[in-house]
Amino acid sequence: MRAHRPEDAATAERASAPSGDPARSIAQALLAGFDKHYALFRECARAAKRHFEAGHFLAIGHVARDRIDFYDRRVAETAERLRREFAEVGIEGAGAEALWARIKPHYVAMLAEHRQPECAETFFNTVSCKLLDRDYFHNRVMFVRPAVATEYLDADLPAYRSYYPRERGLRAAIIDLVLDFRLERRFGDFRRDLANLLAAFRRRLPRPIRLDANFQIQALSGLFFRNHSAYVVGRIVNGAHVLPFAVAIRHTPDGDLYVDAVLSDPVELALLFSANRAYFLVDMEVPSATVEFLRSILPDKTAAELYTIVGLQKHGKTLFFRDFLAHLRHSTDRFVNAPGIRGLVMAVFTLPSYPYVFKVIKDRIAASKDTDRARVKQKYALVKHHDRAGRMTDILEYSNVVLPRSRFDPSLLDELRELAPSQVEEQGDWVRIRHLYIERRLVPLNLVLERADDAARERAIAEYGQAIRELAAVNIFAGDLLSKNFGLTRYGRVVFYDYDEIEYMTDCTFRTIPPPPPGFDELSGEVWYRVGPRDIFPEEFATFLLTDPRNRSAFLRHHAELLDARWWSALQHRIREHGAAEVLSYSDKVRFAPPPPPRRARSNAREAPA
């Protein structure tokens, strides 16, 4: 069978389509819109490689943020094209279902040899949602269920490459693996890096090492880029034993490349691929093959999570909702209020048997919050586009979610009617929620501290302060630092999840409370100094955040400087001068020795690979 590109299907269909068949023409236009989107998506990953080679790390961040909006732009562009070119056949509105039922089979036929059929189906759904007037999903006109299988689908160049150390030795196999990525920056000391890699792999392989006939190293063909780092992702296969790994590559101060760490522990890899971080930029002709490979080395991650973390978050949302609907069919518990202190901005509920929370913006937000629906949505969008540094939960945003009324606890439904009547519509046996955020459910930190022993309290408070530090390092001031707005993950990390008051560090003013004027009665409760809308007084954190003496004592042991405005101002100055720092996706304990300090001034010219 000859090699087949995604556009071949659309081209062949276009050539053979009778001009009088609007359903087929609409399907062609839809697929053309998706193919344009995916071509731009892949170009982002290629741009990330160029920027990494050149050491332009800010540009990598800009590409990652811009890419998040590309999908919605192509959807809007395609929907507008369909309105413009097919208005006369009734492409949108209440009477369009019959037409879309005819469009879908044509679209499915065009995906037979497509490289990204699952993502193209999601694109079809998103465009149709903009044009169809409907109450809830029907598989007749949308892809509620996938129509095209992706198993065993691969690219002209395979998704991963295999290297066989038994033929020429482990050292030669690793050299070939690195050279195959064709990086245009040289490694400053590749002998040192190679020795570190060999030692790391030998430490992680079971002893004594007996090489089976199938001993091989498999590495995904595309590098994974995020912030200042690139990652080789792969697995070592030896008989029935499989060792997953990720190799972190960074720049020395001189601009050369070096291997910084090898991650192989399941927790290390899970944290690297956490959706609480910025999405990776990776070039994939066949995303399903990449995700299948990742699932083999990250068995605790769902396909929805993995599509999301490689930047295909719209398809990740589709898979998440399919999983959620399947869970509803196989469970009987009801939606109830989420545990913890009720929020002033969001109504938050959960399904106890499902590890997520559902958040609806209230119609009447407490006056003390000084915000509104538009500004809350803006803050959540900021988090989606920002480097979350492993300290802010990812957000799934949905519109017009229809759920069975019988699955709501009556008291919760009464509360939603009262707090967010504009967002809740009841239609017979169904409840439609017009706008909804979904996040991973965490144990609220305040509840953790209430029942913690001394050792657990010490760990939680140390993590709490570290989360505040790392958010600040990436230019985020969390705003409301109360422990109820932070949660504990299954890996024991503290992350932030209440975004309505976040600000950029560089937009804040960190101040020390001035001494009162002579004769002022400090017990009066009056404030003797002016306070601007973004003025922050860190010395007050101890008073308002650390009311329990045990928590305050632990915080002072680990993070006393966070109560000093000078620490915040100094960090703010560094961000303004040098940009936000990178919070590494792995701990210092797995890093090799740091690279040597810069030797001399260097040009920015690209150099040949080692």
Side-chain angles (χ1 to χ4, degrees):
M1 183 181 292
R2 71 182 181 88
H4 195 102
R5 298 189 307 274
E7 59 268 24
D8 289 341
T11 303
E13 283 283 336
R14 191 176 295 112
S16 62
S19 58
D21 187 350
R24 182 173 295 180
S25 298
I26 292 166
Q28 291 165 354
L30 279 162
L31 190 56
F34 171 76
D35 286 341
K36 179 179 179 181
H37 158 69
Y38 202 78
L40 292 170
F41 178 89
R42 294 190 67 186
E43 178 52 34
C44 286
R46 296 174 184 136
K49 182 174 185 289
R50 295 193 296 270
H51 293 320
F52 178 79
E53 290 166 337
H56 297 157
F57 304 121
L58 283 176
I60 293 175
H62 290 313
V63 170
R65 287 191 291 275
D66 291 344
R67 185 186 64 176
I68 290 172
D69 297 323
F70 282 3
Y71 184 90
D72 288 337
R73 292 177 193 168
R74 298 292 81 74
V75 166
E77 188 180 274
T78 303
E80 182 54 35
R81 177 187 173 186
L82 297 183
R83 288 189 183 104
R84 186 176 62 250
E85 297 183 9
F86 301 99
E88 72 281 357
V89 297
I91 190 68
E92 62 181 323
E97 272 203 18
L99 175 61
W100 281 89
R102 288 169 36 225
I103 296 169
K104 183 182 173 184
H106 290 296
Y107 196 79
V108 170
M110 295 174 190
L111 298 182
E113 298 290 339
H114 204 277
R115 302 301 196 201
Q116 309 93 32
E118 75 282 25
C119 298
E121 289 178 356
T122 289
F123 190 85
F124 181 102
N125 286 352
T126 312
V127 175
S128 67
C129 283
K130 283 191 168 292
L131 299 173
L132 276 172
D133 180 17
R134 64 187 211 299
D135 287 335
Y136 34 87
F137 297 124
H138 296 290
N139 198 59
R140 194 166 66 93
V141 297
M142 295 178 64
F143 292 96
V144 177
R145 298 183 298 276
V148 180
T150 58
E151 288 81 1
Y152 308 109
L153 181 63
D154 207 345
D156 295 332
L157 297 175
Y160 64 88
R161 294 187 284 258
S162 296
Y163 303 86
Y164 295 89
R166 289 174 64 93
E167 296 176 1
R168 295 170 50 219
L170 184 58
R171 180 183 298 267
I174 292 176
I175 292 172
D176 288 345
L177 186 157
V178 173
L179 290 177
D180 280 345
F181 287 110
R182 301 182 182 277
L183 287 164
E184 295 191 19
R185 278 279 182 181
R186 64 173 292 123
F187 282 79
D189 187 348
F190 192 69
R191 284 197 177 93
R192 178 199 62 201
D193 294 331
L194 186 58
N196 284 337
L197 283 169
L198 289 168
F201 286 139
R202 284 168 177 154
R203 281 195 304 270
R204 288 160 172 80
L205 289 169
R207 309 304 288 253
I209 300 176
R210 294 187 178 89
L211 301 186
D212 282 13
N214 72 331
F215 181 61
Q216 60 188 286
I217 302 174
Q218 299 172 347
L220 284 168
S221 300
L223 287 167
F224 287 63
F225 297 97
R226 181 162 67 198
N227 298 326
H228 299 192
S229 305
Y231 298 89
V232 178
V233 178
R235 59 197 177 200
I236 296 176
V237 179
N238 188 35
H241 182 76
V242 177
L243 175 71
F245 67 83
V247 176
I249 302 173
R250 293 172 56 79
H251 283 241
T252 69
D254 283 316
D256 290 332
L257 301 180
Y258 74 100
V259 173
D260 189 47
V262 173
L263 314 179
S264 60
D265 179 80
V267 173
E268 293 169 354
L269 291 169
L271 293 176
L272 176 67
F273 283 89
S274 169
N276 297 339
R277 296 187 178 275
Y279 304 145
F280 282 112
L281 293 144
V282 55
D283 188 19
M284 305 169 288
E285 183 182 357
V286 180
S288 61
T290 298
V291 168
E292 182 182 0
F293 187 99
L294 291 174
R295 290 193 76 180
S296 75
I297 66 174
L298 296 159
D300 290 340
K301 299 285 184 182
T302 66
E305 290 173 304
L306 293 173
Y307 272 100
T308 298
I309 200 62
V310 297
L312 295 167
Q313 69 272 15
K314 296 296 183 178
H315 188 61
K317 281 176 58 177
T318 295
L319 293 181
F320 173 88
F321 210 74
R322 284 175 182 162
D323 291 344
F324 174 57
L325 292 177
H327 180 83
L328 283 178
R329 289 193 294 271
H330 295 283
S331 61
T332 58
D333 55 336
R334 290 180 168 186
F335 295 107
V336 295
N337 277 303
I341 299 171
R342 303 289 175 86
L344 300 176
V345 173
M346 296 281 195
V348 184
F349 60 95
T350 189
L351 190 68
S353 62
Y354 205 63
Y356 290 84
V357 295
F358 305 82
K359 304 172 75 169
V360 180
I361 303 173
K362 295 180 180 180
D363 284 4
R364 293 181 297 279
I365 296 172
S368 60
K369 282 296 188 176
D370 188 28
T371 190
D372 56 28
R373 180 182 303 279
R375 277 183 283 179
V376 172
K377 293 175 75 171
Q378 183 182 43
K379 300 292 187 182
Y380 274 71
L382 183 159
V383 171
K384 192 72 175 176
H385 289 74
H386 200 79
D387 177 14
R388 293 182 290 281
R391 296 296 185 175
M392 292 191 287
T393 56
D394 194 17
I395 310 146
L396 301 174
E397 185 176 6
Y398 291 90
S399 299
N400 294 315
V401 174
V402 179
L403 300 169
R405 184 172 181 170
S406 62
R407 299 301 293 273
F408 283 82
D409 185 273
S411 62
L412 171 62
L413 200 50
D414 288 342
E415 188 170 303
L416 291 174
R417 292 187 193 111
E418 177 188 354
L419 299 176
S422 72
Q423 299 302 302
V424 178
E425 179 184 351
E426 297 173 61
Q427 303 168 314
D429 294 334
W430 302 93
V431 175
R432 180 202 296 268
I433 299 178
R434 291 193 173 90
H435 184 258
L436 185 68
Y437 293 115
I438 303 178
E439 297 174 9
R440 171 74 70 168
R441 187 172 64 223
L442 307 173
V443 183
L445 182 59
N446 61 304
L447 299 184
V448 172
L449 294 173
E450 283 178 10
R451 53 180 180 253
D453 59 24
D454 290 344
R457 182 183 307 279
E458 194 81 14
R459 288 193 300 271
I461 290 294
E463 266 288 302
Y464 170 52
Q466 191 63 26
I468 295 171
R469 287 177 184 273
E470 292 180 0
L471 288 174
V474 297
N475 199 24
I476 290 291
F477 179 69
D480 191 344
L481 299 178
L482 290 171
S483 59
K484 72 181 181 69
N485 298 322
F486 292 77
L488 200 67
T489 73
R490 54 184 165 165
Y491 301 112
R493 288 173 60 82
V494 168
V495 301
F496 185 59
Y497 53 65
D498 195 338
Y499 306 137
D500 54 89
E501 291 190 27
I502 65 169
E503 300 285 352
Y504 290 118
M505 280 279 294
T506 46
D507 289 342
C508 298
T509 302
F510 296 95
R511 296 175 54 191
T512 299
I513 297 176
F520 185 85
D521 181 5
E522 295 185 50
L523 300 178
S524 67
E526 299 294 326
V527 176
W528 62 89
Y529 50 92
R530 288 189 174 184
V531 179
R534 291 181 177 170
D535 284 355
I536 311 296
F537 298 91
E539 63 200 273
E540 293 184 329
F541 295 169
T543 302
F544 297 106
L545 306 179
L546 305 170
T547 55
D548 187 321
R550 298 169 298 173
N551 296 341
R552 181 181 298 193
S553 177
F555 194 91
L556 290 173
R557 280 193 291 276
H558 296 280
H559 304 293
E561 59 266 45
L562 296 185
L563 307 180
D564 188 338
R566 291 172 297 181
W567 183 90
W568 292 90
S569 296
L571 177 58
Q572 190 180 54
H573 176 74
R574 288 200 297 273
I575 293 172
R576 286 174 175 154
E577 289 290 312
H578 305 293
E582 178 182 23
V583 175
L584 288 177
S585 303
Y586 46 91
S587 67
D588 287 342
K589 68 180 181 181
V590 301
R591 302 181 72 183
F592 301 126
R599 298 183 299 274
R600 63 188 186 278
R602 301 176 62 102
S603 72
N604 287 327
R606 291 181 178 177
E607 299 179 59

